């Protein structure tokens, strides 16, 4: 049975999260602006129904928010980092309280399965927990000076305003990956969510407001600006925002990166993926099938880490293909809030059109259909956004294979000879986000992870390409943008590094032994 069974359930969920039938699209955390921009209607891909609408922000709204964020930064950065961490700890507790309704809203507005929606909210909780510990560990280094009576060290300071541009496929987690770290680092944040998922953003702002109000956090530490590309352009070109974190397509990232670079700002880019799993001869099929299938069809193929390509050794190719066909035959496609289903809808009709176009292009280049795709219709599929996951035999050099299609299309191909041939296929695409190998050969596993192996930011052994944990830095190379978010030392991108030298002697020796006698 669907977790949202009727219209009353939807209304109750929205009321619990502070969402009305018509909403304003700009907030400084302390208050909502009466916005008068173009109306954005949030249509659920689950059933095609209007959930609620948002009046987008105008340029004037944006300007007011930036000024308020600048004011808040002066106060926020003066609060000790562990105290900022305590506020983030409280936010984690509040998110735990709202986990079920927020997870359901993520699923209903975006279309991912309920378990994935709840899992995304859990990521928010996890990054907050990580940030709390980090608030007492913003370490610098101490170095030995070549000059007697001198001490050298480095420290990190907050940067100011962090602009966050997020995508529809992870409408809440990616925002919190950035904010939790930025806030403990002493930064303030302005968020432009995807106009395809504005309601989840409003819910996050309302939840954050409860915690911030209880702790007298300055208005402007958590800002929200809902709008289209024009708002993103304002942010990218605004020299008052030293860091822009942008998640989305490579095309979008190139535009943002160019605008930010032109003003010598910093950008953290998390862009497209074209992720592959190499299936070596020793691979265990009991691990290959669930890893490949979930990687390819999870979130209806709308993850940047979704598995796009399977590179299978010729000796086991037929066996792997047969197992995949059998597994795909068991997939249940339908309402993602019904936990019996595996695959939900694509985000909208444009995504469906891109999916169909990719299949036709693959066939035109010589691809052979292994599992046929298509759009589903009839009862339960009224939104027109439900499609069948497809498998296509293809060659790595096909033009369509070289590009990312945000849909459940899996390209399967053979390799022969040694692992180096598979790695060559794996790396021979413009993107470099996630990668994996299925093997029980230790030498192959180590070779895949060596500097002669995968060129991606993420490289896994005996797990799939999706499902990153908070503790590791997340991001990729090449056209994926080179950014790193979440764990490890990704916090450093939100801060500016400063090297300090202290002379505690009675003389002024110069570096490199230079003499300057007066």
């Amino acid at each position: 049975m669907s977790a949202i069974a009727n219209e009353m359930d939807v209304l109750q969920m929205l009321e619990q999260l502070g969402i009305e039938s018509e909403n304003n699209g700009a907030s400084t955390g302390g208050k909502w602006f009466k916005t008068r921009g173009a109306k954005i209607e949030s249509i659920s891909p689950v059933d095609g129904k209007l959930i609620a609408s948002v009046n987008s922000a105008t340029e004037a709204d944006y300007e007011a928010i930036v000024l308020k964020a600048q004011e808040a930064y002066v106060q926020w950065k003066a609060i000790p980092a562990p105290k900022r961490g305590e506020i983030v700890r409280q936010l984690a507790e509040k998110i735990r309280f709202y986990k079920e309704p927020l997870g359901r809203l993520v699923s209903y507005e975006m279309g991912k399965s309920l378990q994935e929606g709840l899992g995304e909210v859990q990521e928010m909780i996890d990054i907050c927990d990580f940030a709390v510990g980090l608030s007492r560990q913003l370490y610098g280094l101490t170095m030995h000076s070549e000059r007697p009576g001198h001490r050298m060290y480095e420290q990190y300071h907050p940067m100011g305003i962090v602009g966050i541009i997020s995508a529809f496929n992870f409408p809440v987690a990616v925002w919190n990956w950035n904010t939790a770290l930025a806030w403990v680092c002493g930064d303030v944040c302005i968020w432009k969510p995807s106009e395809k998922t504005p309601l989840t953003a409003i819910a996050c702002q309302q939840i954050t407001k409860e915690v911030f109000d209880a702790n007298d956090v300055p208005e402007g530490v958590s800002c929200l600006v809902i709008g289209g590309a024009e708002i993103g352009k304002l942010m990218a070109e605004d020299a008052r925002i030293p860091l822009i974190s942008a998640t989305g397509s490579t095309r979008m990232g190139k535009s943002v990166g160019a605008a930010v670079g032109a003003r010598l700002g910093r950008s953290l880019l998390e862009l497209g993926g074209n992720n592959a799993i190499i299936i070596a001869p020793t691979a265990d099929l009991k691990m290959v099938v669930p890893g490949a299938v979930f990687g390819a069809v999870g979130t209806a193929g709308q993850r940047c880490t979704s598995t796009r390509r399977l590179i299978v050794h010729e000796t086991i190719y037929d066996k792997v293909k047969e197992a995949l066909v059998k597994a795909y035959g068991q997939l249940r496609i339908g309402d993602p809030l019904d936990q019996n289903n595996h695959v939900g809808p694509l985000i909208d009709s444009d995504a469906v059109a891109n999916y169909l176009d990719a299949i036709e292009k693959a066939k035109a280049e010589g691809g052979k259909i292994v599992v046929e795709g298509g759009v589903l219709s009839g009862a339960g599929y009224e939104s027109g956004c439900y499609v069948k996951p497809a498998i296509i035999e293809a060659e790595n050099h096909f033009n369509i294979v070289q590009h990312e299609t945000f849909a459940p299309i899996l390209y399967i191909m053979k390799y022969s000879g040694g692992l180096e041939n598979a790695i060559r296929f794996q790396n021979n695409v413009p993107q470099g986000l996630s990668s994996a190998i299925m093997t029980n050969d230790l030498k192959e596993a180590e070779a895949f992870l060596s500097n002669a192996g995968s060129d991606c930011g993420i490289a896994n052994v005996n797990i799939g390409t999706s499902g990153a944990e908070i503790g590791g830095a997340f991001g990729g190379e090449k056209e994926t943008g080179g950014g790193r978010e979440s764990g490890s030392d990704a916090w450093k991108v939100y801060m500016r590094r400063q090297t300090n030298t202290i002379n505690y002697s009675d003389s002024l020796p110069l570096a490199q032994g230079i003499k300057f006698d007066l």
Side-chain angles (χ1 to χ4, degrees):
M1 181 178 178
S2 171
I4 296 182
N6 53 53
E7 192 170 333
M8 183 59 67
D9 289 341
V10 175
L11 294 174
Q12 290 174 346
M13 175 184 65
L14 296 179
E15 182 179 7
Q16 188 173 357
L17 292 169
I19 298 171
E20 301 176 349
S21 59
E22 185 169 316
N23 302 270
N24 291 308
S27 169
T28 54
K31 68 175 183 179
W32 287 90
F33 290 27
K34 183 66 176 178
T35 50
R36 293 178 172 83
K39 180 175 289 188
I40 298 173
E41 292 187 332
S42 179
I43 306 293
S44 172
V46 174
D47 53 21
K49 293 181 180 179
L50 172 67
I51 311 173
S53 65
V54 180
N55 296 314
S56 61
T58 63
E59 186 172 348
D61 297 325
Y62 169 80
E63 182 64 26
I65 278 179
V66 173
L67 293 176
K68 183 59 69 174
Q70 286 182 305
E71 292 176 11
Y73 172 60
V74 176
Q75 302 173 63
W76 182 246
K77 70 177 180 178
I79 297 172
K83 293 188 179 296
R84 297 193 297 257
E86 165 57 19
I87 295 169
V88 172
R89 185 197 67 78
Q90 293 177 36
L91 178 60
E93 292 303 305
K94 189 65 70 172
I95 295 171
R96 284 183 172 93
F97 177 80
Y98 284 108
K99 180 177 178 178
E100 183 181 351
L102 183 57
R104 285 191 288 135
L105 178 60
V106 168
S107 296
Y108 189 57
E109 186 175 37
M110 184 268 152
K112 64 175 59 177
S113 73
L114 179 58
Q115 283 305 106
E116 290 182 86
L118 294 171
E120 184 174 345
V121 178
Q122 185 62 47
E123 283 191 45
M124 300 173 72
I125 296 166
D126 293 344
I127 194 62
C128 285
D129 289 349
F130 179 90
V132 173
L134 180 65
S135 68
R136 295 181 182 270
Q137 301 180 75
L138 301 174
Y139 298 135
L141 297 173
T142 299
M143 290 78 71
H144 290 280
S145 172
E146 67 182 47
R147 292 168 284 186
H150 286 60
R151 180 166 70 89
M152 291 178 62
Y153 71 98
E154 66 179 22
Q155 58 180 327
Y156 289 84
H157 297 293
M159 295 183 67
I161 302 174
V162 173
I164 302 166
I165 301 172
S166 63
F168 74 86
N169 60 327
F170 279 83
V172 296
V174 171
W175 165 73
N176 213 190
W177 282 7
N178 285 275
T179 53
L181 300 190
W183 285 333
V184 299
C185 289
D187 298 313
V188 301
C189 298
I190 298 176
W191 179 23
K192 190 205 96 63
S194 169
E195 57 268 40
K196 296 181 180 183
T197 51
L199 303 183
T200 50
I202 291 171
C204 289
Q205 187 74 349
Q206 297 281 44
I207 293 168
T208 303
K209 185 179 185 300
E210 287 188 34
V211 176
F212 280 20
D213 284 353
N215 287 274
D216 295 319
V217 171
E219 180 185 343
V221 173
S222 176
C223 297
L224 176 66
V225 188
I226 296 175
E230 70 283 354
I231 295 295
K233 186 173 186 292
L234 288 172
M235 293 173 67
E237 295 176 351
D238 196 336
R240 296 169 296 180
I241 304 179
L243 172 65
I244 295 289
S245 174
T247 303
S249 68
T250 295
R251 178 186 57 79
M252 179 277 292
K254 287 180 177 179
S255 175
V256 170
V260 175
R263 59 178 175 84
L264 299 182
R266 290 194 209 172
S267 56
L268 191 171
L269 301 176
E270 298 287 0
L271 311 176
N274 197 344
N275 317 295
I277 302 177
I278 295 173
I279 314 296
T282 62
D284 185 343
L285 282 186
K286 294 193 302 294
M287 301 174 73
V288 167
V289 172
V293 174
F294 175 74
V297 309
T299 323
Q302 297 173 115
R303 290 180 176 227
C304 51
T305 55
S306 289
T307 305
R308 310 290 178 200
R309 297 173 294 145
L310 276 192
I311 304 168
V312 187
H313 195 270
E314 61 182 358
T315 58
I316 58 169
Y317 182 83
D318 290 338
K319 185 183 297 185
V320 169
K321 184 170 73 171
E322 181 182 346
L324 288 173
V325 170
K326 182 178 179 181
Y328 268 55
Q330 300 173 52
L331 291 175
R332 293 185 293 273
I333 307 166
D335 181 353
L337 292 127
D338 181 343
Q339 296 188 57
N340 291 313
N341 291 326
H342 299 109
V343 185
L346 293 176
I347 185 66
D348 57 22
S349 58
D350 288 342
V352 173
N354 289 335
Y355 157 85
L356 293 173
D357 183 58
I359 292 175
E360 290 307 309
K361 286 179 176 177
K363 291 194 294 186
E365 290 192 73
K368 298 179 181 178
I369 301 298
V370 176
V371 174
E372 189 171 0
V375 181
L376 295 168
S377 60
Y381 304 124
E382 289 86 356
S383 70
C385 295
Y386 291 88
V387 302
K388 294 186 285 186
I391 300 177
I392 303 175
E393 286 185 309
E395 298 293 338
N396 200 61
H397 66 266
F398 286 0
N399 184 61
I400 190 61
V401 175
Q402 291 285 308
H403 290 81
E404 178 188 48
T405 302
F406 233 46
I409 301 173
L410 179 64
Y411 301 111
I412 183 170
M413 60 198 70
K414 294 178 185 178
Y415 79 95
S416 58
L419 179 63
E420 65 277 4
N421 294 325
I423 291 174
R424 187 172 65 253
F425 284 161
Q426 144 68 40
N427 293 344
N428 191 23
V429 291
Q431 310 83 1
L433 179 52
S434 188
S435 58
I437 185 171
M438 296 288 185
T439 181
N440 284 324
D441 186 318
L442 179 61
K443 290 182 178 180
E444 287 188 324
E446 291 293 335
F448 180 72
L449 301 177
S450 74
N451 60 16
S454 170
D455 64 0
C456 295
I458 300 169
N460 299 327
V461 176
N462 289 332
I463 61 173
T465 59
S466 59
E469 295 184 33
I470 287 301
F474 179 88
E477 302 301 324
K478 302 189 292 188
E479 287 193 357
T480 302
R484 292 297 185 276
E485 291 175 317
S486 192
S488 185
D489 64 350
W491 61 271
K492 292 181 179 179
V493 76
Y494 303 96
M495 306 196 82
R496 58 181 178 88
R497 185 194 307 244
Q498 184 181 80
T499 300
N500 307 115
T501 305
I502 301 170
N503 179 3
Y504 59 91
S505 73
D506 295 326
S507 61
L508 185 61
L510 302 177
Q512 295 88 44
I514 295 173
K515 301 292 184 182
F516 185 72
D517 296 323
L518 291 176

